[in-house]
Amino acid sequence: GSVPLLGFSTIGVADVLAALEQAQHDPRVRAIILRISSGGGSAQASEALHAWITHHRKTKPIYLSISGLCASGCLYLAAASDRVVAERGALIGSIGIFAGKLEGSTLLDLIGVGLEEFGDDLHGRSPFALTRPFSDDEEHALRAALQGHYDLFVAHLRARGTIPTLDEIADGRVFESAEAAGLGLLDEISGFVPLLEKLEGEAGESLGLWFPEPPSLLERLARLRQFVRVLSDWHVFYLGQHLEAP
């Protein structure tokens, strides 16, 4: 959906997975092309898409076609796909992960606003509260979680087996698609139509295009409710795993 005032559109992981499921179960669909331009997203959403593609590419080939940008979590999809192509001039990379918060206690004091803290962790505090910096325990927990996600990210890319200099470039840098292809981050420079023509040549026949049905309003609301609940459950679990009781 569109993001008001910011001038760009987004799509949630639930919508992507629903569309992929439609294509997977439609007997008319012989291969799936994911056309994407993305700067990434949450580690959980990226991991969910990676897991789906890794599992289902065993029955139908899945190709990733990058139009303008494939960065950070978007590379999870590239790591799992059978073939990755990108338009000339597209930006590829940003292997990394970050998290943080704004700490506004000084501003709140200045304007005379007081906030009461009700938290999720074992201390009864919210680690992402705007009223104070991270405690040492919270910062340690966050760094440990980020390191775990980063290690998993790099492991997915390493498993693809096409990036010999992965350890050297897994530092957040972004590359133009021609350089990214030389580094092994993608297979070739190609647009959507040339990819389709190549697949038709390999199949020896003309292939039609199929597009998934957009979800209804009720389906979107149901997915949003489920996502919020899962995210909340994960947040509490994550904190409970890392913070000790006083």
Side-chain angles (χ1 to χ4, degrees):
S2 298
V3 179
L5 303 180
L6 298 184
F8 62 86
S9 298
T10 65
I11 184 169
V13 64
D15 289 338
V16 176
L17 289 173
L20 289 172
E21 286 288 343
Q22 286 185 43
Q24 179 65 23
H25 292 101
D26 191 322
R28 299 170 298 173
V29 176
R30 297 171 56 182
I32 297 172
I33 301 176
L34 275 168
R35 179 70 167 173
I36 194 167
S37 181
S38 172
S42 77
Q44 289 74 36
S46 302
E47 181 62 30
L49 290 170
H50 179 276
W52 193 98
I53 294 172
T54 299
H55 177 72
H56 290 285
R57 60 180 282 203
K58 300 171 185 175
T59 54
K60 288 183 182 179
I62 299 175
Y63 307 103
L64 188 69
S65 173
I66 302 164
S67 59
L69 177 65
C70 182
S72 191
C74 182
L75 284 175
Y76 273 69
L77 282 64
S81 299
D82 289 287
R83 187 183 302 173
V84 182
V85 304
E87 301 277 358
R88 189 169 299 280
L91 299 178
I92 318 291
S94 188
I95 303 172
I97 184 171
F98 72 94
K101 69 173 181 178
L102 296 174
E103 196 275 292
S105 58
T106 301
L107 176 61
L108 293 173
D109 289 342
L110 182 64
I111 60 178
V113 174
L115 297 177
E116 188 70 25
E117 189 175 348
F118 298 93
D120 301 320
D121 70 7
L122 300 181
H123 298 285
R125 302 174 305 182
S126 173
F128 287 94
L130 303 180
T131 55
R132 59 179 178 79
F134 288 118
S135 69
D136 290 342
D137 283 346
E138 290 165 348
E139 183 175 343
H140 175 76
L142 182 59
R143 287 183 179 276
L146 290 176
Q147 186 64 54
H149 285 303
Y150 174 81
D151 292 344
L152 182 61
F153 188 178
V154 173
H156 286 327
L157 291 170
R158 196 181 309 280
R160 194 164 191 266
T162 63
I163 315 172
T165 60
L166 178 59
D167 291 331
E168 300 173 21
I169 65 173
D171 57 4
R173 282 180 288 171
V174 176
F175 307 93
E176 191 272 333
S177 56
E179 186 176 5
L183 293 170
L185 289 170
L186 56 101
D187 297 308
E188 60 182 301
I189 305 298
S190 175
F192 178 81
V193 173
L195 173 61
L196 182 61
E197 292 173 343
K198 187 170 186 177
L199 294 178
E200 288 180 329
E202 294 174 356
E205 60 181 294
S206 178
L207 301 176
L209 290 177
W210 173 91
F211 297 93
E213 292 291 332
S216 67
L217 177 60
L218 289 178
E219 289 173 328
R220 289 181 180 275
L221 291 174
R223 291 172 193 167
L224 177 61
R225 180 180 179 185
Q226 182 182 25
F227 173 75
V228 170
R229 179 180 58 80
V230 170
L231 181 60
S232 177
D233 290 346
W234 176 84
H235 185 61
V236 174
F237 172 77
Y238 154 67
L239 293 173
Q241 284 289 304
H242 289 86
L243 298 182
E244 298 177 359

